[in-house]
Amino acid sequence: MKLFVLLAALFVGGQAVSFFELVQEQWGSFKVTHKKQYGSELEERFRMKIFMENAHKVAKHNKLYALGLVSYKLDTNKYADMLSHEIIQTLNGFNKTKQSGLRGTEEYDGFSFIPPANVKLPEEVDWRQHGAVTPVKDQGHCGSCWSFSATGALEGQHYRKTGKLVSLSEQNLVDCSTKFGNNGCNGGLMDNAFRYIKANKGIDTEEAYPYDGKDEKCHYNPSESGATDKDFLTNVRRQKRSAVSLYRKYSCTLWSCLNETCPLRLSGIYSSLDCKCSSTELDHGVLAVGYGTDENGQDYWLIKNSWGPNWGDEGYIKIARNRNNMCGVATQASYPLV
């Protein structure tokens, strides 16, 4: 018995277009938009297959969104031709086991956050609206998320102190903080970055020490320092709303549940109702820049990522708040003191 593959005929602009032609058109548009080039025809076929699987995932998910069964919407982005494990290997980099920094002979883990008493917190905060957040950055194929989380937190604290928003150098941290337990593009920890900056008495500006997305020789220049810190606070988890509202922004972590959707754009609130995610198995550093409640009464954290403005909602994501520390967004939260 012979099997036949039937290509469905679609009508676009009044003309019949086969499913294959539609796929080729979508794929061609994706390659042009994101300037994609591949080393061989075999690789391109492989990448096209991944892209189409992600496109199918988007269509299937958005049907559920239209029915009100999930809390966020998806679309494709520049990572739509990559597998989730490739994303994990190239875009993450948080390593909670690499802790360093000693005070005397005792391990030093920063100071604990104690929120002020009798302070009424605002119902919502978005520090982008106050000029305290630099544009979304892109770490590229380097596991340096921890450095972007650290610079973002210090940028906010420096703004709070001086009134000036200065973009700080992630490459400085990638290249120079290895003695404090970080490992450049192979991962690191935000607290170790804060320790380095304190000991180094500064971190260069982004302009003076631009990001290259690869491990290089340290060439920190103290005359180009844009900010410094005196220490850092940990244990923000139970009082994270106080920390975000009073102290601008803080470094935090996420579980790789987001890697299931990281090849895609998403809008809405990412909720544990839609995805099972751990609050302890963490592998990605991000930045909390606000919080609020949407029109449906669902609380959220506003998170800045470092995968470029084409990911998420222009580089940001809203994570469900008051949902048992969903995806570990507050498990290892901290911010620098200036």
Side-chain angles (χ1 to χ4, degrees):
M1 182 178 182
K2 295 183 179 181
L3 297 177
F4 296 91
V5 178
L6 300 179
L7 297 179
L10 304 178
F11 285 86
V12 179
Q15 295 182 336
V17 178
S18 72
F19 179 73
F20 178 77
E21 290 173 328
L22 184 61
V23 167
Q24 289 295 319
E25 182 178 343
Q26 290 179 333
W27 176 242
S29 177
F30 170 78
K31 289 191 296 180
V32 171
T33 300
H34 301 294
K35 299 180 175 60
K36 295 285 186 175
Q37 293 183 337
Y38 304 101
S40 67
E41 181 179 353
L42 181 62
E43 182 185 359
E44 179 163 346
R45 288 179 180 178
F46 176 66
R47 295 300 170 186
M48 183 177 73
K49 181 177 183 295
I50 296 171
F51 171 80
M52 294 316 303
E53 288 174 349
N54 279 322
H56 176 70
K57 181 190 298 183
V58 166
K60 184 178 180 180
H61 178 93
N62 287 346
K63 286 182 180 180
L64 299 177
Y65 178 80
L67 295 172
L69 299 177
V70 294
S71 62
Y72 60 94
K73 188 177 181 180
L74 295 178
D75 197 356
T76 57
N77 69 5
K78 67 179 181 179
Y79 301 117
D81 62 346
M82 296 177 67
L83 296 169
S84 60
H85 76 268
E86 293 179 298
I87 299 290
I88 294 172
Q89 292 173 353
T90 58
L91 293 181
N92 292 352
F94 173 79
N95 189 340
K96 64 180 179 181
T97 64
K98 284 188 172 292
Q99 297 188 11
S100 182
L102 301 176
R103 174 174 290 176
T105 59
E106 298 180 358
E107 186 174 357
Y108 170 49
D109 288 319
F111 297 101
S112 295
F113 173 70
I114 302 176
N118 302 317
V119 174
K120 181 175 176 57
L121 302 177
E123 292 301 316
E124 62 179 39
V125 168
D126 184 347
W127 286 110
R128 298 176 299 180
Q129 299 177 1
H130 300 275
V133 185
T134 56
V136 171
K137 302 176 183 181
D138 192 341
Q139 68 187 76
H141 288 197
C142 170
S144 55
C145 59
W146 57 273
S147 67
F148 288 83
S149 177
T151 57
L154 184 54
E155 287 165 355
Q157 287 292 84
H158 184 75
Y159 176 85
R160 177 172 176 259
K161 180 179 180 179
T162 67
K164 297 179 180 180
L165 182 62
V166 179
S167 184
L168 301 174
S169 173
E170 293 78 25
Q171 192 68 43
N172 185 172
L173 296 177
V174 168
D175 296 342
C176 307
S177 65
T178 54
K179 291 183 179 180
F180 289 79
N182 293 325
N183 198 23
C185 285
N186 291 315
L189 187 67
M190 291 81 81
D191 292 358
N192 290 343
F194 300 145
R195 293 182 177 107
Y196 159 76
I197 294 168
K198 177 187 176 183
N200 194 55
K201 298 181 180 179
I203 177 175
D204 279 349
T205 65
E206 191 86 58
E207 182 179 5
Y209 202 145
Y211 185 71
D212 289 332
K214 56 185 178 181
D215 295 316
E216 298 180 338
K217 184 177 180 180
C218 178
H219 52 277
Y220 169 75
N221 184 347
S223 67
E224 300 290 351
S225 177
T228 190
D229 67 56
K230 297 178 180 178
D231 232 304
F232 64 96
L233 289 182
T234 61
N235 300 331
V236 181
R237 174 176 178 175
R238 297 187 182 279
Q239 300 292 339
K240 50 191 178 293
R241 186 175 169 216
S242 296
V244 174
S245 62
L246 298 174
Y247 297 97
R248 301 301 193 262
K249 302 177 290 182
Y250 70 82
S251 294
C252 53
T253 51
L254 292 176
W255 180 65
S256 59
C257 181
L258 292 185
N259 292 312
E260 298 177 9
T261 54
C262 69
L264 311 171
R265 295 178 64 93
L266 63 161
S267 56
I269 298 177
Y270 197 84
S271 170
S272 58
L273 296 178
D274 310 328
C275 169
K276 295 180 180 180
C277 58
S278 171
S279 62
T280 57
E281 299 299 321
L282 310 175
D283 62 8
H284 187 50
V286 291
L287 185 73
V289 301
Y291 62 83
T293 304
D294 73 357
E295 62 276 8
N296 297 317
Q298 184 168 343
D299 297 334
Y300 64 84
W301 295 110
L302 180 61
I303 302 295
K304 181 185 181 185
N305 201 0
S306 55
W307 293 347
N310 191 251
W311 178 87
D313 187 357
E314 297 183 352
Y316 290 83
I317 183 175
K318 292 178 179 177
I319 296 283
R321 180 166 58 94
N322 298 325
R323 290 285 181 86
N324 297 318
N325 186 26
M326 203 198 82
C327 295
V329 68
T331 297
Q332 199 158 337
S334 62
Y335 66 86
L337 300 174
V338 296

